[in-house]
Amino acid sequence: NSGPPPEAQALAAQAAQVESGIATVEGTPNIAAPEISGELTASERAAALYAQAATLTESYRLSHSVAGRIGHLIEPVLRPIGFDWQMGIGVISSLAAREVFVSTLAVVYGVGADTADEHPQRLYDTLRSATRNDGTPVFTTATSVSLMIFYVLAMQCLATSAVVRRETNGWRWPLFQFAYMTALAYGASLIAYQSLHAFGTA
């Protein structure tokens, strides 16, 4: 189902009520949207609610997209290095370019890529408070170290593979390069993550 989730529908309905002057300030939900000092006008509150509804819808659609399903599929493989399915989507999307990983997380965690660019602190706070299904934090010290090591060693750049394929006039070396560097990155991240856990570093 590619339609908006119930939470987004509720926010959009609330925004429509605010626009029509039906809802009061006290009756509207808390807004984790643009940081605006002072009291919001009705139009500003409605716009913020619509923006939050759009962000939730984008996050929902991404989680149910092909990339989202692949993220869930590869999660058991990524779990030993501290990654969850949401980070898995980021890993897949960052094959285009490493920096895409951050904007993907902003969308998956419901912050929105544009909001993350304008208010990066919101993304930082969201990632700090992100939890797994068992309630434990996602971005612990061990996970963060594992993530950094993975991106230092992995060849997350299809453009590089394309250049190698052109220079070698075949797919043998780019495929070997991609497989070797991915395996190296995974192995190093696995050692780092499991070692930190073994020493009691969360």
Side-chain angles (χ1 to χ4, degrees), residues 15-32:
Q17 290 180 339
V18 172
E19 282 186 322
S20 64
I22 296 175
T24 62
V25 174
E26 291 77 15
T28 55
N30 293 329
I31 302 172

Side-chain angles (χ1 to χ4, degrees), residues 1-6 8-9 53-54 56-66 69:
N1 183 11
S2 60
Q9 294 177 13
L56 287 175
T57 299
E58 187 179 7
S59 175
Y60 177 82
R61 287 176 176 169
L62 180 59
S63 67
H64 288 77
S65 65
V66 174
R69 291 186 174 91

Side-chain angles (χ1 to χ4, degrees), residues 41 164 187:
T41 65
V164 175

Side-chain angles (χ1 to χ4, degrees), residues 155 171-182:
M155 193 178 75
W171 284 105
R172 178 183 176 183
W173 282 110
L175 289 176
F176 170 78
Q177 184 182 42
F178 178 81
Y180 164 71
M181 296 184 72
T182 300

Side-chain angles (χ1 to χ4, degrees), residues 106-122:
V107 174
V108 172
Y109 282 100
V111 176
D114 293 337
T115 302
D117 289 338
E118 297 173 4
H119 305 284
Q121 190 61 45
R122 283 200 54 216

